[in-house]
Amino acid sequence: MSFRINTNIASLQSQEYLRNTSENQSKTIGRVTSGLRILSSGDDAAGLSIANSFRSDQAVLRQGIRNANDGLSTLQTIDGGINNISKLLDRARTLATQSASGTFIGSRDVLNSEFGSVITEIDRQAQAIGLNAGGEFAKSLSVFIGGGKSSGGITSIQNGASQVDLSNSTVDAKSLGLKGAQAQGVTATDIGTGSPATSVSAIVGDPSNVASLGAAGFTDFYFRGPGFGDSERIKVAVNLSGVTTVDNLVTAVNNAIKSAGTVVSPAATAFQNANISASVVTASDGKKSIAFSSSSTAFQVAAGDRMSNALLGNVTSASNPAGRTLANTVTGGSSAAAAATAFGASGAGAVTVRFQGAGMSAPVDIALSVSATTTIDQAIADLTSQIASNSGLQAAGITASTAAPGAPLVFTSARGERFEVLASGDLNGLLGLGSFRSSGGAVGTFDYPTVTGSAGTFAASAETLEFSIGGGPTISISVTPAGATLADARTGLNAAIAGNASLAAAGLVVTDDGVNLIITSSNSSRFRVNTVGATNVFGFNAAAATGVADVAETQAGNTDINFFNSGGTQQSSILPFTGIHTGGDDQTITVSANDAAGVEHSLAVVLRNDTTLRNAATVDEAINAINTALKQSNDATLQAVAAVKDKASPGGAEGIRFISTLRGFKVSVGTNEAGSGLGNQGTVVNSAAAGSGSTSDISSQAGAESAVTALAEAVVKLGDAQAVVGRGQNQFSFAVNLASSQLTNIAAAESRIRDADLAEEAANLTKAQILLQAGISALAQANSAPQQVLSLLQG
């Protein structure tokens, strides 16, 4: 064995063991005193990471439980409010039932006063609990609780939230069907009370009003709305027999509305589902007017004759019960030919008279087949007869009111709507409606995308040609070819067309087949052409007719606004409209609206006028195209929007207004080169609330009976809303239970990782203490070992 003095190996080893023992003792003491197994990341880095994650999850769950409990408290508050509204409905039903009794002899006005107060209180309490339309809680409520996991495309955030959708659970009076859309006549008139001159009996007996009726004893109202738009408007024919007061007028109107809804057609079904009813509205001064209301549908009501116009309040004056006239007339630009004038060889062929506008979804063409011996008298008689027997024109209320040789033809719309009368094929202009040529085809051909000339002289002399693009205004050009050849005629006519912005926009191009000129629209515009005079330079007057310069027709008549839009609805502003005439001027209109859950629904409608589709030459065609697209969208949200015809002022131009009972919508107006179609191009038109709408009323027995029905439905709607609230309470309670269970188990999992086992640590502490004492003693002996070497030196 060897002995060393400089290096005491035993001492060094003892020191290392003693250091380790001391550190273990210190950690053990720390674990015992803190109760934690992991005092620093060095103790268990992976375990600390997991434990910290668990601790964070617990913090989220603790707050989530508080969130859910707060949501539960909110729903309980709402539930209590709905219980109280239920009691208010009970009281309202009691009052309505009492007023609905035919044997009630008390004052219905007293009952109605309390009834109105109850309806007002329902609105106030609905707002107080946040469940009025647009209220604080009338939406999808998402309460984040935590504890969610990602799976199947659903994130942990989404899975960790509990949702209750109250957007369809509003409980204000309108949502419960106790208030709705209302269209009301002019309230300043004395209908039924006040001046005897304008009482219901005076209006019904007025000779002018009686003479305006389409059917004896029946006055007509027209309704437009979602599913029963412009061309599918519903006519409500009211039997006036026994009508002498406002009350029995309302009864007669409601009977007629019920009858109109039973017709088998999609439009009649939509009208029936709108639940429109008539009622009496009494102003503060005691004056009465008739009103129409619906709890669910926006609509427009219009007078169909002077009688109904008067009943809507449009009387001539306070002393004259005659309804203001609705007639709108169109007068031919020129006089018809003198009596017995024959069309002659140059005028024989197909003559087409076109009517467009006046609520018609498409033009109506009247075909006249005239021979050389046909006289103007015979042609006018044929025209008048066909107008009288044409169902489309009769539905539009159009008649030939003055149709005699030697004078301008006059056509009348009995309902005051604007319309146009155009003609083609009358090459000598004997009808006074211009001398535009037809395409040369069968009877009934009006305009064309291409036309071929015949027997042109191609002389180097001036000739005036007139064009009408898509039924639009006349465009006149005078052309003198540079030479007397086919090519010169083609070049000259092309140059004149190119120099006219409207003709160029229609894409008109002149070509030839080696013999005749051919005019074609490159963008599928339809047009008419007229040669003024008896020349045939370009070949478009082969019959040698004496073409006349076209003179625009004149419009005259109704300047009163005879229709009313329902209040309590969302409406756009009136969008001006000009007909789309050229094939290259398509315009896209996009209607967008949010459903009850806030999801946006959109539909694009293309307005155009070409050989593919004509749906926007008139405001009526455009309205029909928009409403048809909305109806066929099969989207319940978009189907609640309707386009109606409107005008801003008496005598103003007809435009398009959009109406709906949705909480809002918008219309994006596309652009086109000509600026035709809907105005305000390139903008987004947002709807706005219009009017206050109607409120259930029990001041009459009929009104009370309607209120009883409405209240029964309101109770069901309230129950449905309360069921959603109750379901939400249960949902939040279950969510709290799950979160509490997760919190307990996650806390236990964290404890198993982070917390110390004190029994184990106590044993470790005892062990460390013993090892420390032994280590100190051994170190002392190791340090004294080198001193034994001195005994060797002494010897």
Side-chain angles (χ1 to χ4, degrees):
M1 82 183 276
S2 61
F3 294 92
R4 299 176 179 84
I5 297 175
N6 291 334
T7 303
N8 189 340
I9 301 301
S11 175
L12 294 174
Q13 291 176 336
S14 297
Q15 290 177 45
E16 179 62 19
Y17 292 139
L18 186 60
R19 183 183 63 79
N20 289 335
T21 300
S22 177
E23 288 180 358
N24 289 336
Q25 184 186 42
S26 296
K27 288 183 179 180
T28 303
I29 290 173
R31 288 168 180 165
V32 170
T33 55
S34 68
L36 300 176
R37 183 181 70 84
I38 303 174
L39 299 176
S40 66
S41 59
D43 295 337
D44 184 355
L48 180 61
S49 176
I50 296 172
N52 285 342
S53 176
F54 285 160
R55 185 178 61 191
S56 179
D57 288 344
Q58 291 175 69
V60 170
L61 285 169
R62 288 191 185 94
Q63 182 58 50
I65 291 173
R66 287 194 290 271
N67 291 347
N69 283 326
D70 289 343
L72 186 58
S73 297
T74 297
L75 292 182
Q76 289 171 342
T77 301
I78 292 174
D79 191 31
I82 292 178
N83 283 332
N84 208 45
I85 290 175
S86 179
K87 295 176 182 177
L88 288 170
L89 287 180
D90 292 343
R91 179 55 183 164
R93 292 189 77 181
T94 299
L95 294 169
T97 302
Q98 185 177 7
S99 181
S101 173
T103 59
F104 178 72
I105 58 175
S107 172
R108 286 191 171 89
D109 289 338
V110 174
L111 296 180
N112 191 51
S113 177
E114 183 181 353
F115 184 83
S117 299
V118 171
I119 300 301
T120 301
E121 182 62 14
I122 288 174
D123 277 336
R124 189 193 71 79
Q125 294 197 13
Q127 182 176 353
I129 62 175
L131 274 190
N132 58 313
E136 182 180 5
F137 300 119
K139 57 187 177 182
S140 180
L141 303 177
S142 178
V143 177
F144 184 71
I145 300 172
K149 301 297 180 185
S150 300
S151 176
I154 299 176
T155 66
S156 59
I157 298 298
Q158 292 172 319
N159 184 245
S162 182
Q163 292 188 338
V164 176
D165 188 1
L166 298 180
S167 55
N168 291 322
S169 301
T170 50
V171 294
D172 56 290
K174 185 174 182 180
S175 298
L176 296 177
L178 303 178
K179 286 184 176 180
Q182 183 182 66
Q184 184 176 328
V186 182
T187 57
T189 56
D190 299 318
I191 301 178
T193 61
S195 171
T198 55
S199 65
V200 168
S201 58
I203 290 172
V204 171
D206 181 79
S208 297
N209 293 338
V210 173
S212 72
L213 301 180
F218 289 83
T219 186
D220 297 331
F221 294 87
Y222 287 88
F223 291 83
R224 296 173 173 90
F228 49 101
D230 201 39
S231 62
E232 295 182 310
R233 59 193 177 277
I234 298 298
K235 181 175 80 170
V236 173
V238 180
N239 188 343
L240 296 174
S241 176
V243 172
T244 57
T245 67
V246 178
D247 288 333
N248 52 38
L249 169 64
V250 166
T251 300
V253 170
N254 282 329
N255 289 337
I257 288 175
K258 183 178 180 180
S259 177
T262 60
V263 176
V264 181
S265 74
T269 300
F271 176 69
Q272 185 180 51
N273 293 338
N275 292 317
I276 297 172
S277 62
S279 61
V280 178
V281 175
T282 304
S284 58
D285 58 1
K287 298 178 180 179
K288 295 183 177 181
S289 61
I290 188 171
F292 301 88
S293 59
S294 168
S295 62
S296 60
T297 304
F299 63 94
Q300 180 189 79
V301 59
D305 48 54
R306 294 184 69 176
M307 179 76 75
S308 56
N309 206 22
L311 293 173
L312 283 174
N314 281 324
V315 293
T316 301
S317 68
S319 60
N320 187 346
R324 293 173 182 169
T325 180
L326 299 180
N328 186 73
T329 61
V330 172
T331 303
S334 304
S335 295
T341 302
F343 277 78
S346 63
V351 176
T352 302
V353 180
R354 169 166 288 184
F355 296 82
Q356 58 186 25
M360 294 183 289
S361 61
V364 172
D365 290 342
I366 299 296
L368 305 176
S369 182
V370 299
S371 66
T373 59
T374 301
T375 65
I376 187 64
D377 311 66
Q378 293 169 328
I380 291 176
D382 185 15
L383 175 62
T384 303
S385 174
Q386 289 198 56
I387 291 173
S389 62
N390 185 281
S391 59
L393 295 179
Q394 291 307 298
I398 293 176
T399 58
S401 54
T402 302
L409 300 183
V410 180
F411 306 91
T412 301
S413 165
R415 292 196 291 278
E417 297 183 86
R418 292 182 62 86
F419 67 101
E420 296 175 287
V421 183
L422 311 171
S424 70
D426 182 14
L427 301 183
N428 293 301
L430 300 188
L431 291 173
L433 301 175
S435 56
F436 285 100
R437 62 167 287 167
S438 66
S439 65
V443 171
T445 302
F446 179 78
D447 51 13
Y448 24 83
T450 183
V451 63
T452 301
S454 176
T457 64
F458 309 125
S461 57
E463 185 171 80
T464 298
L465 296 180
E466 293 181 336
F467 293 85
S468 172
I469 310 299
T474 298
I475 303 165
S476 179
I477 58 174
S478 181
V479 187
T480 304
T485 68
L486 175 66
D488 291 328
R490 183 189 68 238
T491 301
L493 188 51
N494 269 326
I497 288 173
N500 184 283
S502 298
L503 296 181
L508 297 189
V509 178
V510 184
T511 60
D512 66 77
D513 59 6
V515 178
N516 300 304
L517 293 181
I518 304 170
I519 304 177
T520 303
S521 169
S522 61
N523 58 24
S524 299
S525 297
R526 302 185 71 90
F527 61 93
R528 293 175 294 157
V529 62
N530 174 41
T531 301
V532 179
T535 60
N536 191 32
V537 173
F538 297 100
F540 299 105
N541 187 22
T546 306
V548 297
D550 186 52
V551 179
E553 61 192 18
T554 58
Q555 297 262 355
N558 172 49
T559 58
D560 294 314
I561 298 177
N562 63 305
F563 42 73
F564 303 90
N565 298 314
S566 55
T569 60
Q570 287 283 319
Q571 299 180 11
S572 73
S573 58
I574 298 176
L575 300 176
F577 183 87
T578 54
I580 294 177
H581 299 302
T582 59
D585 282 331
D586 295 1
Q587 182 186 35
T588 300
I589 308 300
T590 303
V591 181
S592 303
N594 291 344
D595 61 21
V599 178
E600 185 177 79
H601 299 244
S602 296
L603 177 69
V605 183
V606 178
L607 302 180
R608 60 195 302 178
N609 186 358
D610 52 34
T611 55
T612 301
L613 179 65
R614 170 197 166 116
N615 66 5
T618 67
V619 65
D620 300 281
E621 291 178 14
I623 289 173
N624 179 72
I626 294 169
N627 285 333
T628 298
L630 291 169
K631 183 171 63 174
Q632 294 178 350
S633 69
N634 293 322
D635 186 309
T637 299
L638 296 174
Q639 287 174 337
V641 181
V644 296
K645 189 159 55 178
D646 206 343
K647 53 186 178 182
S649 61
E654 293 175 339
I656 299 177
R657 187 193 293 276
F658 292 82
I659 61 176
S660 178
T661 51
L662 297 174
R663 293 176 184 172
F665 62 87
K666 60 185 179 182
V667 180
S668 301
V669 184
T671 61
N672 61 20
E673 185 174 349
S676 55
L678 275 182
N680 299 342
Q681 293 193 356
T683 65
V684 176
V685 180
N686 293 299
S687 67
S692 58
S694 63
T695 302
S696 293
D697 182 276
I698 61 170
S699 59
S700 65
Q701 183 178 350
E705 290 172 350
S706 297
V708 169
T709 301
L711 284 163
E713 295 173 354
V715 170
V716 175
K717 292 177 181 178
L718 186 70
D720 292 342
Q722 192 163 22
V724 175
V725 173
R727 184 173 70 243
Q729 292 181 61
N730 292 335
Q731 186 175 329
F732 285 170
S733 294
F734 293 137
V736 168
N737 292 341
L738 175 60
S740 297
S741 175
Q742 289 176 306
L743 180 62
T744 300
N745 291 317
I746 291 175
E750 184 200 8
S751 175
R752 283 189 288 270
I753 296 173
R754 192 189 298 274
D755 292 349
D757 184 345
L758 292 183
E760 179 182 352
E761 297 304 330
N764 289 338
L765 182 59
T766 300
K767 175 183 175 182
Q769 289 172 341
I770 294 172
L771 288 174
L772 185 61
Q773 292 173 5
I776 292 173
S777 176
L779 178 61
Q781 292 181 14
N783 288 338
S784 64
Q787 295 178 1
Q788 302 301 321
V789 178
L790 295 177
S791 62
L792 295 176
L793 295 176
Q794 292 174 358

